[in-house]
Amino acid sequence: MTWEVVIGLETHTQLSTRSKIFSGASTAFGAAPNTQASAVDLALPGVLPVLNREAVACAIKFGLAVGATIAPRSIFARKNYFYPDLPKGYQISQYELPVVAGGGLKIRVGENEKFIHLTRAHLEEDAGKSLHEGFTDVSGIDLNRAGTPLLEIVTEPDMRSAAEAVAYAKALHTLVVWLGICDGNMQEGSFRCDANVSVRRKGDEKLGTRCEIKNVNSFRFLERAIEYEIRRQIELIEDGGTVVQETRLYDADRDETRSMRSKEDAMDYRYFPDPDLLPLMISEEWIANIRKEMPELPDAKQARFQSEYSLSAYDAATLTASKAVADYYERVLAKFRSEPKLAANWVTGDLSAALNRHELEIGASPVSAAALAGLLKRIADGTLSGKMAKDVFDAMWNGEGDADAIIDQRGLKQMSDSGAIEAIVDQVLAANPKSVEEFRAGKEKAFNALVGQVMKASQGKANPAQVNEVLKRKLAAGT
Amino acid sequence: MHQDTLAGLARRLAAREFSSVELTRALLDRAQSLGKTLNAYITLDEERSLAQAAAADARIARGEASPLTGIPIAHKDLFCADGWRTTCGSKMLANWISPYDAHVISRFNDIGAVLLGKANMDEFAMGSSNENSHFGPVRNPWEVSRVPGGSSGGSAAIVAARLAPAATGTDTGGSIRQPAAFTGVSGLRPTYGRVSRYGMVAFASSLDQGGPLARTAEDLALMLNVMAGFDPRDSTSVDRPAEDFSARLNAPLEGLRIGLPKEYFSAALSQDVATAILAAIEAYKKLGATVVEVSLPNQHLCVPAYYVLAPAEASSNLARYDGVRYGHRASEYSDLLDMYKKSRAEGLGAEVKRRILVGTYVLSHGYYDAYYLQAQKVRRLIANDFKAAFAQCDVIMGPVAPSVAFPLGSKTTDPVQMYLEDLYTISVNLAGLPGMSIPCGFGAAGMPVGLQIIGPWFEEARMLNVAHRFQQVTDWHSKVPPGVDA
């Protein structure tokens, strides 16, 4: 029996506004509990919400980026339920008329490209947090997060594997960070996914019964949770059981999903339009103003990198994986434009490796774009060999100055004077008659040994290409 | 001095006939005696009130006074005032001290008025007799065995008994107009959005509106001048240029077209009230007004629509009273759900619970369309009815309530009878219109009758003019309840 997996994702992205969606309190993460909760966030008697227009601007930006329709009029609704970290007893969200509808994202899994359609994206407020550690018999409530703006982004059930779901989540993550509307910090909960998973027999028209896995906050967990859930559902059906519609939680420690509540216990949220807030009206002018400030989007940038800098699709994709990397790359080119491929190699190669090793974001790189450009110039003009360049890069990373200063200090200039190289080659040939003999007897390896000797004699400074050329010529001449 | 109107007291304070401290002291003493008999106040704080009075006197001495500087005002106990207990007439908030000022309170503070005390009210403004207060019922100064109306019953009794020259109230379904009518004072519910709801504890957000109660239309204008105005903290507050509501009080009424909705003069209206209303209309004719019959064909749908929408919003607005962060929490409970249940069961009164249940029901899956959406449609029809009527007239007049103030306990066992008290008032709330009640005579048992004046949206100044001219040729508004010393 072959099975088809159907997955849709709902993603809560915390919007990077300075203040909350309906109050003036700060949204900064990590403050002492309840120090960033205003009267509105605490839901004191008599307080009223006032919409933060910055949050709306974020939603508009997102809508434009995914080619969605931005509703000229949308409605905030109350989602009613009791929970200790939900101070008003309702969450202000959008229900029937969301701010963003439609649009979609291109994803890539291996060689395949796929377009994931979005159903909608709506604005809502986050709840607070219940704290259980450090308390006995009671729980604490921290309302600092209460009222933080969220954009909940909902896909159509377009994904057919955990890999596709993860690719979508990553593409979405890149995009919201790229747009500057979300800090993307998954550990702090800025980007959380709910996955709706169902399976059906290949060829079935009807969708299977779905389960929703709540609040997964890493790509790895998302993949594992979905994989587990797919296996669970298929095994269940193959054993003659039926899938029950329910909400499940992923337990990372045990790598399994567990039932949280079934559809029968599903709450009736009694949605109705919030009478404290007017309909959200978005003018064409507002949209046009935001459109003007939109950054170049990943796909467009990737295409431009390929055409403008003659990069491969792979390089262009790697360099546009994040806006910070793409910006860094273009800042390097702004200082040194003539060899974009060389620059790409360094940004995606040595720099990226060093950043990974030190667990740094590119924005925190000790080697600035300008500094890297300085190094690339010295490689391009032949001053540094590849090997020397790596040493200089390490020195730059350690804060020893710019490339030229390090080259001067260490006397690292590559030897490109052909007279000098010829003299060294002559010495080496005279000193290693055995190798010369072996080479002439057809042993290719002997050539490499000779090159090594020349490089050693020049203390690594000789231009390797020139050494090759001179050696070959002299050996052929039989001197 | 307690007999004087707000306008009169303002003149005498400005002329330094007496100080604000003297006036406040005198009114606090009355609050301790007659106020206790009527159970009109929930909270008095003499120290705070007198400190404000002293500050007002200093301000007057500096020559920085505005008309209401130093005037003691009573506030319905759902306006949050920094440092004051704000109970909403509920056990749930019996010990809650507000850490902030409502917009209305800060407006009064800004001009140096004195907060005289927090007035009794029906719990969370739900009621038409002030019998739903956790702090006990308020008595009608005209006859202490009768109700003062509700939910702003304390505010109305305070003004009627000359305990304060003016008070604030709120009107969600008639809660300013009906108690004003029952106690023979003047009350104005402004257009929805005119007065900020920030810091005014919510009952039904789309219907709630704060407004003044006072003895005269002239005083209402002075109060509205302070209370009205745009507030960015209330998204439903309307941004309009500031208006002086006193400016047009004396404009002549020649040519005024008064609309009388035929639906208001039906069998539901008791004869004594009808007689007083029609006499008032005759007085208006003498002032130069003409009368046209108008129709509000959906009038019969008002009560059912209102008792879907108001409870729906209330069920959500009152969810925050869960015992978690503030307010009443049960002393013993087994788990979280038990804490919610017990805290709310103990903290909220019967009528509040009834409305929460109704509201929860009408918003529930499967009922929402049939009740809530349907009621919203009715609401639009009612607003359209008024639009059509105002094409034919400048103001609409009619009764405020079907009968005069009734005896305590006479309607408490039948909620529907109590809801019908709002028959003539709630259409105004559903349409978001301004509405007034002014005294226009006496009915059965010598109890006061109120004349309702309804105006088009934002026409408060015209309505106050219409009321003021009436009060210049009648003296119903200056009648003093028999038990109140003159």
Side-chain angles (χ1 to χ4, degrees), chain B residues 288-315:
Chain B
T290 57
V291 172
V292 286
E293 188 187 84
V294 295
S295 177
L296 301 170
N298 293 292
Q299 164 67 16
H300 64 291
L301 298 175
C302 284
V303 172
Y306 177 86
Y307 279 96
V308 167
L309 295 174
E313 293 182 15
S315 71

mmCIF file of all heavy atoms in Angstrom, chain B residues 288-315:
data_model
loop_
_atom_site.group_PDB
_atom_site.id
_atom_site.type_symbol
_atom_site.label_atom_id
_atom_site.label_comp_id
_atom_site.label_asym_id
_atom_site.label_seq_id
_atom_site.Cartn_x
_atom_site.Cartn_y
_atom_site.Cartn_z
ATOM 1 N N GLY B 288 -43.153 77.514 20.357
ATOM 2 C CA GLY B 288 -42.985 77.696 18.912
ATOM 3 C C GLY B 288 -42.672 76.437 18.141
ATOM 4 O O GLY B 288 -42.406 76.485 16.936
ATOM 5 N N ALA B 289 -42.694 75.299 18.830
ATOM 6 C CA ALA B 289 -42.369 74.045 18.143
ATOM 7 C C ALA B 289 -43.594 73.494 17.423
ATOM 8 O O ALA B 289 -44.734 73.797 17.781
ATOM 9 C CB ALA B 289 -41.869 73.019 19.154
ATOM 10 N N THR B 290 -43.340 72.711 16.394
ATOM 11 C CA THR B 290 -44.424 72.000 15.735
ATOM 12 C C THR B 290 -44.219 70.509 15.968
ATOM 13 O O THR B 290 -43.102 70.060 16.234
ATOM 14 C CB THR B 290 -44.438 72.266 14.216
ATOM 15 O OG1 THR B 290 -43.163 71.891 13.688
ATOM 16 C CG2 THR B 290 -44.719 73.717 13.905
ATOM 17 N N VAL B 291 -45.289 69.772 15.849
ATOM 18 C CA VAL B 291 -45.225 68.351 16.164
ATOM 19 C C VAL B 291 -45.573 67.528 14.927
ATOM 20 O O VAL B 291 -46.523 67.848 14.209
ATOM 21 C CB VAL B 291 -46.204 68.014 17.314
ATOM 22 C CG1 VAL B 291 -46.300 66.509 17.532
ATOM 23 C CG2 VAL B 291 -45.761 68.703 18.598
ATOM 24 N N VAL B 292 -44.753 66.515 14.668
ATOM 25 C CA VAL B 292 -45.072 65.591 13.565
ATOM 26 C C VAL B 292 -45.060 64.171 14.113
ATOM 27 O O VAL B 292 -44.276 63.844 15.006
ATOM 28 C CB VAL B 292 -44.049 65.679 12.400
ATOM 29 C CG1 VAL B 292 -44.246 66.950 11.607
ATOM 30 C CG2 VAL B 292 -42.621 65.565 12.920
ATOM 31 N N GLU B 293 -45.947 63.366 13.573
ATOM 32 C CA GLU B 293 -45.903 61.958 13.970
ATOM 33 C C GLU B 293 -44.847 61.261 13.118
ATOM 34 O O GLU B 293 -44.788 61.463 11.908
ATOM 35 C CB GLU B 293 -47.267 61.290 13.760
ATOM 36 C CG GLU B 293 -47.292 59.880 14.348
ATOM 37 C CD GLU B 293 -48.566 59.115 14.010
ATOM 38 O OE1 GLU B 293 -48.616 58.528 12.912
ATOM 39 O OE2 GLU B 293 -49.483 59.126 14.834
ATOM 40 N N VAL B 294 -43.991 60.487 13.769
ATOM 41 C CA VAL B 294 -43.009 59.700 13.022
ATOM 42 C C VAL B 294 -43.201 58.240 13.415
ATOM 43 O O VAL B 294 -43.968 57.927 14.336
ATOM 44 C CB VAL B 294 -41.557 60.147 13.318
ATOM 45 C CG1 VAL B 294 -41.321 61.556 12.823
ATOM 46 C CG2 VAL B 294 -41.237 60.019 14.806
ATOM 47 N N SER B 295 -42.498 57.382 12.680
ATOM 48 C CA SER B 295 -42.631 55.959 12.980
ATOM 49 C C SER B 295 -41.258 55.305 13.129
ATOM 50 O O SER B 295 -40.320 55.620 12.387
ATOM 51 C CB SER B 295 -43.408 55.272 11.853
ATOM 52 O OG SER B 295 -43.484 53.881 12.109
ATOM 53 N N LEU B 296 -41.148 54.467 14.120
ATOM 54 C CA LEU B 296 -39.951 53.636 14.300
ATOM 55 C C LEU B 296 -40.427 52.191 14.210
ATOM 56 O O LEU B 296 -40.664 51.528 15.218
ATOM 57 C CB LEU B 296 -39.301 53.926 15.655
ATOM 58 C CG LEU B 296 -38.857 55.374 15.896
ATOM 59 C CD1 LEU B 296 -38.449 55.579 17.352
ATOM 60 C CD2 LEU B 296 -37.696 55.749 14.969
ATOM 61 N N PRO B 297 -40.616 51.702 12.968
ATOM 62 C CA PRO B 297 -41.325 50.430 12.772
ATOM 63 C C PRO B 297 -40.674 49.224 13.434
ATOM 64 O O PRO B 297 -41.345 48.230 13.705
ATOM 65 C CB PRO B 297 -41.367 50.280 11.248
ATOM 66 C CG PRO B 297 -40.398 51.259 10.701
ATOM 67 C CD PRO B 297 -40.255 52.351 11.705
ATOM 68 N N ASN B 298 -39.360 49.311 13.707
ATOM 69 C CA ASN B 298 -38.710 48.142 14.315
ATOM 70 C C ASN B 298 -38.563 48.260 15.830
ATOM 71 O O ASN B 298 -37.824 47.493 16.447
ATOM 72 C CB ASN B 298 -37.350 47.915 13.666
ATOM 73 C CG ASN B 298 -37.499 47.503 12.212
ATOM 74 O OD1 ASN B 298 -37.989 46.416 11.925
ATOM 75 N ND2 ASN B 298 -37.147 48.394 11.292
ATOM 76 N N GLN B 299 -39.273 49.227 16.387
ATOM 77 C CA GLN B 299 -39.210 49.474 17.830
ATOM 78 C C GLN B 299 -39.454 48.200 18.654
ATOM 79 O O GLN B 299 -38.798 47.960 19.657
ATOM 80 C CB GLN B 299 -40.229 50.573 18.177
ATOM 81 C CG GLN B 299 -40.602 50.714 19.640
ATOM 82 C CD GLN B 299 -39.447 51.190 20.498
ATOM 83 O OE1 GLN B 299 -38.448 51.702 19.981
ATOM 84 N NE2 GLN B 299 -39.566 51.003 21.802
ATOM 85 N N HIS B 300 -40.364 47.354 18.180
ATOM 86 C CA HIS B 300 -40.704 46.145 18.947
ATOM 87 C C HIS B 300 -39.546 45.136 18.989
ATOM 88 O O HIS B 300 -39.574 44.201 19.777
ATOM 89 C CB HIS B 300 -41.946 45.475 18.355
ATOM 90 C CG HIS B 300 -41.739 44.979 16.950
ATOM 91 N ND1 HIS B 300 -41.573 45.834 15.873
ATOM 92 C CD2 HIS B 300 -41.620 43.736 16.460
ATOM 93 C CE1 HIS B 300 -41.383 45.121 14.784
ATOM 94 N NE2 HIS B 300 -41.411 43.850 15.108
ATOM 95 N N LEU B 301 -38.530 45.341 18.142
ATOM 96 C CA LEU B 301 -37.392 44.409 18.128
ATOM 97 C C LEU B 301 -36.254 44.848 19.039
ATOM 98 O O LEU B 301 -35.267 44.132 19.210
ATOM 99 C CB LEU B 301 -36.861 44.263 16.697
ATOM 100 C CG LEU B 301 -37.838 43.685 15.676
ATOM 101 C CD1 LEU B 301 -37.237 43.717 14.282
ATOM 102 C CD2 LEU B 301 -38.211 42.252 16.060
ATOM 103 N N CYS B 302 -36.396 46.062 19.609
ATOM 104 C CA CYS B 302 -35.286 46.625 20.394
ATOM 105 C C CYS B 302 -34.913 45.770 21.596
ATOM 106 O O CYS B 302 -33.739 45.448 21.791
ATOM 107 C CB CYS B 302 -35.655 48.023 20.893
ATOM 108 S SG CYS B 302 -35.563 49.247 19.608
ATOM 109 N N VAL B 303 -35.911 45.432 22.405
ATOM 110 C CA VAL B 303 -35.596 44.701 23.632
ATOM 111 C C VAL B 303 -34.963 43.343 23.321
ATOM 112 O O VAL B 303 -33.898 43.021 23.865
ATOM 113 C CB VAL B 303 -36.837 44.586 24.546
ATOM 114 C CG1 VAL B 303 -36.554 43.665 25.732
ATOM 115 C CG2 VAL B 303 -37.249 45.969 25.042
ATOM 116 N N PRO B 304 -35.573 42.542 22.421
ATOM 117 C CA PRO B 304 -34.905 41.257 22.114
ATOM 118 C C PRO B 304 -33.504 41.423 21.526
ATOM 119 O O PRO B 304 -32.583 40.680 21.902
ATOM 120 C CB PRO B 304 -35.843 40.587 21.111
ATOM 121 C CG PRO B 304 -36.995 41.489 20.885
ATOM 122 C CD PRO B 304 -36.909 42.635 21.837
ATOM 123 N N ALA B 305 -33.318 42.373 20.628
ATOM 124 C CA ALA B 305 -31.983 42.556 20.032
ATOM 125 C C ALA B 305 -30.977 42.969 21.101
ATOM 126 O O ALA B 305 -29.858 42.451 21.161
ATOM 127 C CB ALA B 305 -32.037 43.599 18.916
ATOM 128 N N TYR B 306 -31.417 43.902 21.951
ATOM 129 C CA TYR B 306 -30.527 44.398 23.006
ATOM 130 C C TYR B 306 -30.126 43.270 23.950
ATOM 131 O O TYR B 306 -28.965 43.149 24.339
ATOM 132 C CB TYR B 306 -31.222 45.516 23.783
ATOM 133 C CG TYR B 306 -30.418 46.033 24.938
ATOM 134 C CD1 TYR B 306 -29.472 47.042 24.759
ATOM 135 C CD2 TYR B 306 -30.593 45.527 26.228
ATOM 136 C CE1 TYR B 306 -28.729 47.525 25.822
ATOM 137 C CE2 TYR B 306 -29.854 45.996 27.304
ATOM 138 C CZ TYR B 306 -28.933 46.989 27.101
ATOM 139 O OH TYR B 306 -28.182 47.462 28.149
ATOM 140 N N TYR B 307 -31.106 42.434 24.316
ATOM 141 C CA TYR B 307 -30.797 41.376 25.277
ATOM 142 C C TYR B 307 -30.125 40.162 24.637
ATOM 143 O O TYR B 307 -29.946 39.138 25.270
ATOM 144 C CB TYR B 307 -32.026 41.024 26.123
ATOM 145 C CG TYR B 307 -32.156 42.045 27.243
ATOM 146 C CD1 TYR B 307 -32.988 43.151 27.126
ATOM 147 C CD2 TYR B 307 -31.344 41.945 28.373
ATOM 148 C CE1 TYR B 307 -33.044 44.117 28.127
ATOM 149 C CE2 TYR B 307 -31.391 42.906 29.371
ATOM 150 C CZ TYR B 307 -32.246 43.989 29.247
ATOM 151 O OH TYR B 307 -32.264 44.936 30.231
ATOM 152 N N VAL B 308 -29.739 40.293 23.378
ATOM 153 C CA VAL B 308 -28.779 39.375 22.761
ATOM 154 C C VAL B 308 -27.395 40.038 22.745
ATOM 155 O O VAL B 308 -26.404 39.485 23.212
ATOM 156 C CB VAL B 308 -29.192 38.995 21.321
ATOM 157 C CG1 VAL B 308 -28.052 38.305 20.586
ATOM 158 C CG2 VAL B 308 -30.428 38.102 21.353
ATOM 159 N N LEU B 309 -27.359 41.278 22.237
ATOM 160 C CA LEU B 309 -26.066 41.933 22.018
ATOM 161 C C LEU B 309 -25.365 42.309 23.321
ATOM 162 O O LEU B 309 -24.165 42.060 23.482
ATOM 163 C CB LEU B 309 -26.257 43.177 21.148
ATOM 164 C CG LEU B 309 -26.746 42.904 19.724
ATOM 165 C CD1 LEU B 309 -27.039 44.213 19.000
ATOM 166 C CD2 LEU B 309 -25.703 42.098 18.953
ATOM 167 N N ALA B 310 -26.111 42.938 24.228
ATOM 168 C CA ALA B 310 -25.468 43.392 25.464
ATOM 169 C C ALA B 310 -24.922 42.208 26.269
ATOM 170 O O ALA B 310 -23.763 42.247 26.703
ATOM 171 C CB ALA B 310 -26.439 44.245 26.283
ATOM 172 N N PRO B 311 -25.702 41.142 26.471
ATOM 173 C CA PRO B 311 -25.123 39.989 27.191
ATOM 174 C C PRO B 311 -23.959 39.349 26.437
ATOM 175 O O PRO B 311 -23.000 38.883 27.066
ATOM 176 C CB PRO B 311 -26.299 39.014 27.313
ATOM 177 C CG PRO B 311 -27.512 39.868 27.215
ATOM 178 C CD PRO B 311 -27.146 40.966 26.258
ATOM 179 N N ALA B 312 -24.017 39.307 25.099
ATOM 180 C CA ALA B 312 -22.921 38.715 24.328
ATOM 181 C C ALA B 312 -21.614 39.443 24.649
ATOM 182 O O ALA B 312 -20.600 38.815 24.992
ATOM 183 C CB ALA B 312 -23.216 38.786 22.832
ATOM 184 N N GLU B 313 -21.649 40.751 24.549
ATOM 185 C CA GLU B 313 -20.434 41.521 24.831
ATOM 186 C C GLU B 313 -20.042 41.399 26.305
ATOM 187 O O GLU B 313 -18.863 41.285 26.647
ATOM 188 C CB GLU B 313 -20.641 42.985 24.433
ATOM 189 C CG GLU B 313 -20.777 43.150 22.924
ATOM 190 C CD GLU B 313 -20.946 44.601 22.496
ATOM 191 O OE1 GLU B 313 -20.679 45.509 23.306
ATOM 192 O OE2 GLU B 313 -21.351 44.823 21.337
ATOM 193 N N ALA B 314 -21.045 41.400 27.172
ATOM 194 C CA ALA B 314 -20.761 41.314 28.608
ATOM 195 C C ALA B 314 -20.084 39.988 28.951
ATOM 196 O O ALA B 314 -19.147 39.954 29.753
ATOM 197 C CB ALA B 314 -22.048 41.477 29.411
ATOM 198 N N SER B 315 -20.552 38.897 28.313
ATOM 199 C CA SER B 315 -19.995 37.587 28.653
ATOM 200 C C SER B 315 -18.495 37.574 28.392
ATOM 201 O O SER B 315 -17.726 36.929 29.102
ATOM 202 C CB SER B 315 -20.688 36.482 27.862
ATOM 203 O OG SER B 315 -20.331 36.533 26.494
#
